Every structure is written in structure tokens, then in C-alpha cells.
Amino acid sequence: MDMKTRYPVGEAATRFLAAPQEMLIGADWVDAADGKQLEVRNPADGEVFAREPAGGAADIDRAVRAAHAAFDMFTETKSVMLAV
């Protein structure tokens, strides 16, 4: 086999890779705030097979705010509710 050998990719994987990818921040799936994307390349042949959001400083701030909000909510939850 050489580096150009192709392996079949299942239908579900093909659909997943073709779909727009987003970041999960808080409870929302979002694009990068500035709209930038990264190309994901197959290391064997350099072919672009997916694009991912390129999170930046604004996205980090958004994620940190969401994490703080979740932590605050978690710490205010009674232990009996956490056990359910």
C-alpha cells in the first residue's frame, strides 16, 4: 500500500464530516465569534476533509462566562437534587 490508498468511509461519518461543525459553549452550539474556521486535513494526502470553528479570545471569554454561570448554579443546588 502507498500513502494514496483510500479507505472507505461509512455513510454516517461522511454525513458528519460534511455537516457544519460548531463549538459547544454553555448549552449552545455556536460558530466562532469572528466566523474564522480551521481546515482539517488528511495527513496522508493533505486533502481538506472538514472545517472547524477557530475559537478566539471572544469565544474563550464566552466559554469562561458560561462555565462560571454553570458552577454558580451547581453550587446553589441542594445535594438531594444532585443525587436524583
Side-chain angles (χ1 to χ4, degrees):
M1 277 193 236
D2 62 27
M3 294 299 284
K4 296 292 184 179
T5 301
R6 297 276 182 183
Y7 294 96
V9 176
E11 185 180 328
T14 300
R15 279 195 315 271
F16 173 79
L17 293 172
Q21 304 299 313
E22 298 175 312
M23 299 178 290
L24 179 62
I25 296 181
D28 301 313
W29 289 99
V30 297
D31 290 320
D34 61 9
K36 290 183 180 177
Q37 293 186 327
L38 298 171
E39 293 181 338
V40 181
R41 295 183 176 271
N42 180 336
D45 62 13
E47 178 184 347
V48 174
F49 66 87
R51 287 183 172 71
E52 302 290 335
D59 301 301
I60 293 169
D61 289 341
R62 203 168 32 164
V64 169
R65 282 194 306 274
H68 278 275
F71 180 79
D72 291 343
M73 185 172 54
F74 176 78
T75 58
E76 293 170 4
T77 304
K78 295 186 185 305
S79 59
V80 69
M81 293 301 292
L82 296 174
V84 174

